Amino acid sequence: MGSVALNPDRPGEVKSFPALRAEMVKRHIAARGVRDELVLEAMGKVPRELFLPAKLREFAYEDSPLPIAGEQTISQPYIVAFMAEALMLKGGEKVLEIGAGSGYAAAVLSEIAADVYTVERLGPLAEEAAATLTELGYDNVHVLHGDGTKGWPEHAPYDAIVVAAGGPQVPEALKEQLKIGGRLVIPVGADQRTQELVRVVRLSKDEFRSEDIADVRFVPLIGEEGWAAAKGETAPARRALRPVAPDEETLVRNIADAAESFPSIEAADLSPLMERIGSARVVLLGEATHGTSEFYRMRERITRDLIVKKGFRFVAIEADWPDAARVDHYVRHFQYPPSEWTAFARFPTWMWRNTEVRDFVSWLRKHNGTVENTTRVAFHGLDLYSLYDSIRSVLNYLDEVDPASARVARERYGCLTPWQRDPATYGHAALTGSYPTCESDVAHALTDLLAKRRAYAEHDGERFLDAEQNARLVANAERYYRIMYYGSRASWNLRDSHMFDTLKNLLAFHGPDSKAVVWAHNSHVGNAAATEMVARGEHNIGQHCRKAFGAQAYLVGFGTHSGTVAAASDWGGPMEVKTVRPSLPNSYERLCHATGLPRFMLGLRGPGDLCGPEGLGRERLERAIGVIYRPETELASHYFQASLPQQFDEYIWFDDTRAVTPLETAEIAGLPDMYPFGV
Ligand code: SAH
C-alpha cells in the first residue's frame, strides 16, 4: 500500500500505514495483554484507515474510537482485539456480529473465521460497510441491513456472536442462534452509555453460563430486544447487501423476488417445482461439481417426489452401466445372483461411493419393496468407461444362455485383451497402426447379440437389456479410446451421444409412457447450445434431449458460491476436501450470491425481464468443477461463458456448500453381502 501518514508522535516524520499498524498492534494491543496470535495477526493485516472517512485517516492507528456516519463510532482497536480474543476463535468458524458500523471489526474477524455475518441497523452505514468490504476483497463478510437484536437466523447457528453496541439485556434471539459450545460476547447495562462486557457460553440446548469480563462504553443497541428507537423512527427493513456492479443491482433484486427461497433440503416445498415440471418425460438434474453434498441430497429429494408423485420409472446417472447395474440389482430386489464386482471402485470413487448416494439407494430399495414387481424403479448408468467390466458382463451372460456364442464373442473381444490395464494405450496403438483396430470385432459382437434378441429376451428381458447395453458400451468405448487422440471434442461428443442413446434405449425398454430422471454434471445436462461449448463444436445430453423432447425435457442446473468440495488435483489422484473459492465478479454465481439468500429454486422459463437479454439472458461466466479442481487457475480452467435461461429450465442455488462424505471401507464391511458398494 502506498499510503502514508504523518507520525503523530514525531511531527514532520512520515510513516507508512503498515508501519503504524504494526506499531499499534505492539504498543496498544499486545502490550495491554491480548495474547491470541490469531487476533494479533488479524489486527496487523486489516487496513483500518480504509474504513474511516478520508479526513480521519491519519488518526487510524491512534488507539481510540473515532466518529463515523450516523453519530456512530468505529470501535477502539484494543476493544476490537479484546472482544475478538474473548470469542476464543481457532479459525474456520461462522461468526455473527451485531453492529457492523464501518465494517472494520467484521474485517478483523473475517481474517480468522471462515465467514462473518454482520448486521447494521442504519441503512447508509450498512451500505458503506458492504461497499468497503467488497472493495477490499473481504468476500467472506456478509452484511445485512436490519435489526441485529433478532440475529440473522437464516445462517444460524453460529460458533461465536459478538455485539458492538450495549443493550439492557442479552437478546433471546442471539442465545438461540448460538451453537452448543458457542460464545456470545455482548455489552450489557441498565444505563444506555455504560456496560459490563459479558461472555455467555452455551452449555446445552437450555443451559448458558455467563461471566463479566470488562467494564466498557458502547453506543446503545437499539431494536426489538434492545433499547427503544427514537419516536417516529421505523424499524429497518431486512435486506442483505452484497454490492455488485451498480447496473446489476436491479437484476439481483429481480432474482431475489422471483426466487423461491427454502429453509433446508428436507423442509423445501417442492410443489411449485413439480408444477413447473408438469408432465415432462425426462427431468435432468445437474450439479456444478462432482463432490458437493447439497447437490446430491437435493437431487434425491426431487427424485423421490418425481417417483412417488409422478410415477417416474427409472433413474439414470453419469456412471458406467455395469456399476449402476449392481445397484439396480439391489434396489429392484432381483432374485438371480448379482455380478461379483464392486460398484464404483474406480477413480473417481467418491463421485458415487458416498454416504449421500448410499442413503438414496437405501430409500429406493425400501420404496421398491412396497410396490408391485413391475413398477419397481430402476437405476441405470449412462457412461462408457467400463470397457472390460462390460466385456466380462456380456461373456458371463452368453456363458449362461448360449455357450457356443460365448466362444465366438470371447474370440472377438480377445482383440482388446492385451490393453486391459490401460485402455488408452490401445487407442494410441491402434491409431499409430502398430496394432490392428478392434472396431469390426466389437461391432460384430454387438450385431451377433442383437440378431438373437428375440430368442434371448424370452429368457429374461432385463438380463438381455443388461447384456445388450454392455455390448453397445464396448463398441462405443472402443471408438472412444481411439478417437480420444483426435482431441477432446470428438470423444466428448461420442460420450454424450452414447449417454443419450442409452437413455433413449431405456425409455423404449421401460415402455412408451415411461419417464426418466437423469443425474449428471451441469456440463452434460445444460443445453450446450447456450454455452461456449457450441463454439467448440461440442454437444451434450441436455441438448439432445431438448431437440428430441422439446418442452417435455426439464433441465435443472445447480450452483454454489463457496464452501468445500471433494475433488482431486490430478486425474487418478486421491480425493481431497478442497475449499471452493468465492465466485468471481461477472458470474451468475456472484449474482445469486448477491441476493443474500442461502438457498433457492428459480424457474427460468418465465418470460419477462428476468430472463431476457437485459437480465439473466445476457451471457456471463459460470463455474464448473469436475472430478478435478484447481483453484489456482480457476478462471481459465473452471469458468466458461453461458446464457443461463437458455441453458436450463430451472436453477437451484446453495450459497454455501460442503464436500460429499466418501464411504469408508469399515462402514461397507458391516453391510449385507448383496450390498452393491461391497468392499
Ligand atoms: N463494529 C463497528 C463498530 C460499530 S458501533 C466497527 O468496527 O466500526 C455500533 C453499531 O451498532 C452502530 O453502527 C449502530 O448503528 C449499530 N447498532 C445499534 N443497534 C443495532 C441493532 N439493533 N442492530 C444492528 N446494529 C445496531
Side-chain angles (χ1 to χ4, degrees):
M1 205 161 302
S3 357
V4 292
L6 293 177
N7 180 351
D9 293 340
R10 294 198 206 141
E13 188 190 335
V14 170
K15 276 203 165 185
S16 71
F17 279 123
L20 289 169
R21 191 181 316 132
E23 210 168 290
M24 174 195 75
V25 173
K26 211 163 100 201
R27 290 219 331 239
H28 296 302
I29 299 175
R32 286 179 67 184
V34 174
R35 292 271 173 276
D36 188 327
E37 280 300 327
L38 290 175
V39 172
L40 294 174
E41 215 174 284
M43 295 294 297
K45 274 194 205 155
V46 180
R48 188 172 185 247
E49 70 278 8
L50 300 181
F51 290 85
L52 287 169
K55 61 179 196 301
L56 292 179
R57 284 193 180 151
E58 60 178 297
F59 308 114
Y61 296 106
E62 288 176 32
D63 186 34
S64 62
L66 291 166
I68 52 176
E71 289 172 40
Q72 302 303 320
T73 55
I74 176 170
S75 311
Q76 178 189 357
Y78 168 71
I79 286 292
V80 170
F82 181 83
M83 289 172 91
E85 187 174 49
L87 294 175
M88 302 187 287
L89 301 175
K90 299 267 177 287
E93 292 90 345
K94 199 194 303 185
V95 176
L96 174 67
E97 184 199 30
I98 307 306
S102 66
Y104 170 67
V108 170
L109 293 167
S110 82
E111 294 283 354
I112 306 171
D115 278 288
V116 176
Y117 294 86
T118 183
V119 187
E120 171 56 53
R121 77 177 262 282
L122 297 176
L125 276 185
E127 304 262 2
E128 177 88 30
T132 310
L133 289 161
T134 303
E135 215 168 285
L136 297 179
Y138 286 102
D139 272 326
N140 58 336
V141 182
H142 317 278
V143 183
L144 177 76
H145 172 212
D147 174 4
T149 64
K150 311 303 290 170
W152 193 342
E154 288 85 349
H155 298 281
Y158 301 95
D159 300 285
I161 301 179
V162 60
V163 183
Q169 79 262 320
V170 182
E172 279 306 311
L174 299 184
K175 288 164 74 180
E176 258 162 49
Q177 290 171 30
L178 199 57
K179 268 188 200 162
I180 292 174
R183 289 81 53 199
L184 162 62
V185 171
I186 177 172
V188 181
D191 181 298
Q192 281 218 4
R193 288 275 157 180
T194 59
Q195 306 95 5
E196 287 287 339
L197 193 62
V198 176
R199 174 165 55 200
V200 179
V201 180
R202 184 169 202 174
L203 302 174
S204 68
K205 189 169 175 302
D206 304 310
E207 276 172 290
F208 295 85
R209 188 186 62 218
S210 159
E211 55 190 321
D212 292 352
I213 52 176
D215 290 331
V216 287
R217 278 166 163 274
F218 276 88
V219 296
L221 178 71
I222 296 170
E224 214 175 298
E225 288 193 55
W227 299 105
K231 274 218 162 56
E233 217 182 296
T234 50
R238 288 175 57 79
R239 187 164 65 95
L241 304 171
R242 235 66 71 92
V244 281
D247 58 325
E248 301 208 300
E249 274 171 15
T250 320
L251 178 55
V252 170
R253 249 191 313 274
N254 290 344
I255 299 172
D257 287 346
E260 287 156 16
S261 171
F262 54 93
S264 68
I265 293 172
E266 295 69 34
D269 174 12
L270 297 184
S271 39
L273 170 66
M274 288 298 139
E275 209 160 289
R276 288 192 287 276
I277 289 173
S279 60
R281 188 159 188 220
V282 289
V283 172
L284 293 92
L285 302 176
E287 55 182 357
T289 81
H290 275 320
T292 299
S293 179
E294 285 78 2
F295 299 157
Y296 283 89
R297 287 185 286 129
M298 190 64 177
R299 294 192 297 189
E300 165 172 358
R301 260 230 64 198
I302 296 170
T303 304
R304 285 164 61 164
D305 260 34
L306 291 173
I307 291 169
V308 173
K309 304 202 168 121
K310 289 184 186 278
F312 272 62
R313 192 67 185 74
F314 65 93
V315 181
I317 66 171
E318 183 189 339
D320 296 326
W321 176 273
D323 298 76
R326 277 292 275 117
V327 175
D328 189 38
H329 185 281
Y330 178 71
V331 298
R332 284 204 279 167
H333 307 258
F334 283 152
Q335 293 309 312
Y336 60 85
S339 47
E340 72 276 23
W341 63 75
T342 298
F344 314 121
R346 266 186 313 272
F347 178 86
T349 51
W350 67 89
M351 191 173 148
W352 298 111
R353 249 167 115 92
N354 58 50
T355 57
E356 289 80 359
V357 171
R358 180 203 52 201
D359 290 350
F360 175 56
V361 165
S362 304
W363 177 85
L364 196 54
R365 179 174 159 87
K366 217 195 249 149
H367 167 82
N368 279 340
T370 65
V371 299
E372 284 290 310
N373 220 338
T374 49
T375 55
R376 286 184 184 159
V377 175
F379 191 88
H380 300 298
L382 300 174
D383 223 332
L384 51 50
Y385 288 107
S386 56
L387 184 54
Y388 292 95
D389 280 341
S390 289
I391 290 176
R392 249 192 309 153
S393 278
V394 176
L395 296 177
N396 284 348
Y397 174 77
L398 289 174
D399 279 340
E400 227 177 278
V401 302
D402 186 355
S405 297
R407 270 192 296 281
V408 179
R410 195 163 264 118
E411 185 87 358
R412 297 200 195 283
Y413 286 143
C415 177
L416 284 166
T417 330
W419 311 97
Q420 193 124 345
R421 270 206 20 248
D422 182 8
T425 53
Y426 157 71
H428 186 70
L431 195 73
T432 54
S434 60
Y435 189 79
T437 100
C438 305
E439 188 174 11
S440 73
D441 290 299
V442 297
H444 279 123
L446 173 62
T447 45
D448 287 354
L449 187 77
L450 292 178
K452 297 195 174 165
R453 176 194 297 255
R454 183 158 302 150
Y456 291 166
E458 261 168 31
H459 282 273
D460 177 345
E462 284 295 347
R463 297 184 74 183
F464 179 76
L465 171 76
D466 186 55
E468 174 193 338
Q469 271 315 131
N470 279 311
R472 286 184 190 281
L473 190 156
V474 175
N476 280 328
E478 184 275 335
R479 258 183 78 207
Y480 179 83
Y481 286 113
R482 268 189 296 117
I483 65 178
M484 220 166 67
Y485 290 92
Y486 293 124
S488 64
R489 167 164 42 91
S491 53
W492 171 277
N493 285 346
L494 169 65
R495 185 173 161 223
D496 270 59
S497 295
H498 173 80
M499 294 208 263
F500 180 63
D501 291 342
T502 306
L503 178 66
K504 270 194 316 193
N505 212 19
L506 288 168
L507 285 166
F509 178 83
H510 287 291
D513 298 327
S514 62
K515 298 200 267 190
V517 194
V518 172
W519 288 21
H521 196 279
N522 281 351
S523 55
H524 295 294
V525 155
N527 188 346
T531 73
E532 67 177 52
M533 290 166 72
V534 82
R536 296 198 296 266
E538 290 174 356
H539 46 70
N540 66 1
I541 184 165
Q543 186 179 10
H544 288 305
C545 282
R546 179 63 82 230
K547 245 190 235 150
F549 304 108
Q552 292 297 90
Y554 201 81
L555 281 41
V556 183
F558 286 71
T560 185
H561 171 66
S562 61
T564 59
V565 65
S569 296
D570 291 292
W571 190 260
M575 185 203 105
E576 300 164 52
V577 173
K578 297 187 167 219
T579 300
V580 178
R581 297 182 91 163
S583 60
L584 294 179
N586 303 322
S587 66
Y588 283 108
E589 287 84 352
R590 178 60 74 89
L591 287 177
C592 294
H593 176 62
T595 63
L597 300 170
R599 45 195 98 66
F600 62 77
M601 291 174 254
L602 180 66
L604 295 172
R605 277 187 182 176
D609 301 343
L610 181 62
C611 298
E614 302 290 309
L616 286 172
R618 203 195 84 209
E619 285 204 349
R620 285 181 170 74
L621 292 173
E622 187 185 309
R623 178 165 56 195
I625 296 175
V627 291
I628 295 174
Y629 181 42
R630 298 204 176 113
E632 354 33 281
T633 57
E634 209 188 30
L635 178 59
S637 50
H638 296 285
Y639 279 91
F640 59 95
Q641 290 283 337
S643 169
L644 198 77
Q646 266 80 56
Q647 191 187 4
F648 299 115
D649 298 304
E650 179 98 18
Y651 195 57
I652 299 187
W653 180 252
F654 290 92
D655 198 64
D656 178 46
T657 48
R658 288 290 158 256
V660 290
T661 307
L663 270 183
E664 296 301 337
T665 307
E667 275 173 77
I668 302 169
L671 295 167
D673 272 358
M674 79 243 273
Y675 199 74
F677 299 92
V679 209

